Amino acid sequence: MNMRDNSIQALVDAERLQNGSILRGDPISGDRYYSKEFARKEWDHVFTRTWQIGGTVAQLEKPGSVITQAIGEESILITRADDGVIRAFYNVCPHRGNRLVAEDQKCGVKRMVCAYHSWTFSLDGVVRHVRDAEDYPQGNPIGNMKLVEIRCETLGALVWFNMDDKAPSLREYLGVAADIFEQYQTGSWVRVNWLTGLVDCNWKIIHDNFNEAYHILSLHREIGPFINDAYQDTDFQLYKSGHNLMKMQGGVPSANARHSVVPDELAGILREWEIDPEAFGGRVRETRAALQQQKRKLGPARGHTHYDHLSDEQLTDYHHLTVFPNTTLTMAADFFQVLRPLPHPSDPERCYFDHWVFMPPVEGRDEVDTPLGKRRFEQAEHESFLHGEASIGFVADQDLSVAIAQQKGLHSRGYKDAYLTGQEERVRRLHEVINDYIEGRR
Ligand code: FES
Ligand SMILES: [Fe+2]
């Protein structure tokens, strides 16, 4: 363990809730997934007060870049103006309330012009032109009015916003989750998949799913050969902040299955790193350490310079950071994913599910394997669709395969509360932290 790992461990120890004192046992009742009244409370007390990802820094690389991010009933507008500053605003024209920018992203923008009466704004949000400026009894808006600005910060490859003026800074909000994320040095990573699906379930059905790995053996049998989903070997860390981390071993088969020889899928990964899988007959559980050593040895020469910043376990393992309330960052040595359900503007029984995949630049890389197959190594265009009409990635499709049936089941008079395993404690924890926000404890 090097010094940086030691200091992160100290932060983890300070922020981590210790077993036994974690959960109150608040019921996870069905109405939380379909009641409009409850969804309104979540909007007023949770989503409008917490940090949310608005896009990527790469989208805003140059002055003149404009992006929008829909969340619930809002659209957030994020710009980089000529002064180089990245700012976020509500995407609404102060004249009569028309939505100002319709597109997901634009570049080379000099002015933003409202489609209704042509009020014109510079990218710092200031009104620069209106027709009949002398005909405003309350005063000429030019130079005097601007879009309503909200908090905006960047971390690694991601741009974040917060609608609450009184919120802590992003780093303060994320706590040790920010330090863990920063170890991967994602600033230059490229978003190779940018997918959004409209799904007929409440946002928490999807996020609950990412808060446990108990379903892996049922829904994702294909990943068992190279991911160890056994809870006894998995480190679940719940932080006081409401965020949490699940460290799951990779480069080794599931301890829930018995393998006397290395399964094919893992053998392929070992061969990529010049390790002979045959040598591990009868000692299959040793592949993870061997892979770590080999990635450490060969990685830099193969262009994986970011490995220097990662611990041995990070070279093979999956560190799932769940950022309260609705964001999962699945961190791995060779990719990271944003898995994020967002509340629907009006229907608590629907949500938008974002699945973004980022990969680091590696010399000579022009094509990459992504959850949607081979893609060029370049910034992806946005693909949006109705759930079921197209794949949102193989594993995510499997996760969503039960979402609609669960949404229906939660309406049943026969369902009162979840009956959880210990390894699913992060599921109840999410609901309890939501209650903390709604009931004024945070
Ligand atoms: S609503 Fe935007 S110019 Fe009138
Ligand atoms: Fe899953």
Side-chain angles (χ1 to χ4, degrees):
M1 211 184 251
N2 61 31
M3 253 168 62
R4 192 179 46 235
D5 295 337
N6 276 330
S7 68
I8 287 188
Q9 190 54 47
L11 289 170
V12 165
D13 292 342
E15 290 192 27
R16 190 173 182 171
L17 289 168
Q18 296 309 322
N19 285 337
S21 61
I22 292 171
L23 297 172
R24 293 188 294 263
D26 296 6
I28 307 176
S29 53
D31 60 322
R32 301 171 73 85
Y33 298 84
Y34 56 78
S35 150
K36 286 205 165 176
E37 196 191 335
F38 189 76
R40 172 47 63 180
K41 285 184 190 166
E42 284 180 340
W43 179 253
D44 290 341
H45 298 281
V46 179
F47 284 100
T48 53
R49 292 184 49 212
T50 47
W51 284 95
Q52 297 284 338
I53 298 168
T56 70
V57 176
Q59 288 177 289
L60 295 157
E61 199 189 331
K62 296 196 185 87
S65 305
V66 173
I67 63 174
T68 60
Q69 172 66 57
I71 172 169
E73 61 201 25
E74 290 290 353
S75 167
I76 305 301
L77 170 65
I78 308 178
T79 65
R80 192 192 281 270
D82 287 338
D83 59 5
V85 177
I86 297 179
R87 297 179 178 86
F89 309 93
Y90 292 107
N91 184 12
V92 59
C93 176
H95 176 228
R96 295 265 303 283
N98 189 31
R99 191 156 278 181
L100 183 58
V101 175
E103 295 86 349
D104 287 330
Q105 61 177 0
K106 294 204 277 190
C107 50
V109 178
K110 293 257 175 285
R111 292 280 190 256
M112 301 178 289
V113 183
C114 180
Y116 199 174
H117 313 91
S118 303
W119 274 34
T120 301
F121 303 83
S122 46
L123 269 58
D124 58 3
V126 178
V127 177
R128 298 295 175 187
H129 176 76
V130 303
R131 266 186 289 112
D132 305 336
E134 70 290 350
D135 187 31
Y136 282 92
Q138 294 160 277
N140 183 347
I142 297 174
N144 294 317
M145 287 182 71
K146 62 180 294 198
L147 302 174
V148 176
E149 190 167 347
I150 61 172
R151 305 273 297 281
C152 185
E153 291 183 40
T154 64
L155 186 74
L158 303 171
V159 181
W160 303 67
F161 66 85
N162 192 322
M163 292 179 251
D164 182 2
D165 291 339
K166 296 189 215 62
S169 71
L170 175 63
R171 286 200 121 272
E172 229 178 298
Y173 178 75
L174 292 176
V176 71
D179 298 276
I180 294 168
F181 181 73
E182 281 192 319
Q183 282 182 293
Y184 291 83
Q185 309 246 324
T186 61
S188 60
W189 293 28
V190 173
R191 180 167 61 177
V192 294
N193 290 137
W194 177 12
L195 311 169
T196 304
L198 175 58
V199 190
D200 285 332
C201 71
N202 182 267
W203 70 272
K204 293 187 293 304
I205 292 211
I206 294 178
H207 200 54
D208 289 345
N209 176 276
F210 294 125
N211 268 325
E212 52 95 352
Y214 186 47
H215 68 273
I216 287 187
L217 217 52
S218 312
L219 293 187
H220 313 302
R221 292 201 83 85
E222 299 81 355
I223 64 179
F226 55 91
I227 293 181
N228 180 8
D229 63 315
Y231 76 91
Q232 298 90 338
D233 297 327
T234 304
D235 184 11
F236 302 96
Q237 302 184 352
L238 285 76
Y239 303 128
K240 294 168 190 163
S241 55
H243 315 310
N244 57 60
L245 173 66
M246 177 179 72
K247 295 162 78 167
M248 185 170 267
Q249 295 179 350
V252 64
S254 170
N256 287 318
R258 285 186 211 298
H259 294 280
S260 52
V261 294
V262 175
D264 288 348
E265 298 83 348
L266 178 57
I269 297 170
L270 296 179
R271 281 194 202 96
E272 272 175 43
W273 288 96
E274 299 173 23
I275 299 171
D276 177 13
E278 311 282 328
F280 291 87
R283 48 186 196 100
V284 170
R285 308 229 65 76
E286 292 170 33
T287 51
R288 176 170 168 260
L291 193 55
Q292 289 171 356
Q293 279 172 24
Q294 197 73 341
K295 286 180 104 168
R296 180 72 71 211
K297 193 168 123 198
L298 302 182
R302 291 185 177 192
H304 301 283
T305 48
H306 66 286
Y307 284 4
D308 284 352
H309 309 283
L310 301 178
S311 65
D312 285 349
E313 60 175 28
Q314 284 170 322
L315 291 180
T316 49
D317 296 355
Y318 301 86
H319 288 194
H320 302 268
L321 275 169
T322 30
V323 175
F324 182 83
N326 61 327
T327 300
T328 299
L329 302 169
T330 293
M331 309 305 298
D334 302 306
F335 69 90
F336 90 88
Q337 289 167 289
V338 174
L339 297 153
R340 172 181 65 170
L342 284 163
H344 188 272
S346 57
D347 186 353
E349 303 207 57
R350 304 188 97 186
C351 68
Y352 289 97
F353 174 50
D354 285 330
H355 183 192
W356 305 351
V357 181
F358 293 75
M359 293 191 185
V362 169
E363 218 177 292
R365 169 173 267 180
D366 51 15
E367 199 179 62
V368 281
D369 283 316
T370 78
L372 287 192
K374 288 210 183 303
R375 290 291 169 96
R376 288 196 57 72
F377 183 63
E378 61 189 14
Q379 299 292 350
E381 292 294 314
H382 195 186
E383 298 170 66
S384 337
F385 37 79
L386 289 174
H387 169 236
E389 286 189 347
S391 173
I392 195 153
F394 171 60
V395 175
D397 288 344
Q398 292 173 329
D399 285 317
L400 292 182
S401 69
V402 292
I404 314 288
Q406 193 186 2
Q407 180 71 35
K408 289 190 175 130
L410 289 166
H411 280 273
S412 171
R413 287 155 45 88
Y415 173 81
K416 300 282 185 249
D417 184 9
Y419 187 81
L420 301 175
T421 56
Q423 64 192 288
E424 293 169 288
E425 64 183 357
R426 292 178 303 145
V427 175
R428 197 176 301 280
R429 174 73 175 157
L430 167 72
H431 290 261
E432 295 192 347
V433 180
I434 290 173
N435 290 348
D436 287 344
Y437 271 80
I438 289 177
E439 292 160 17
R441 290 186 290 274
R442 285 177 190 255

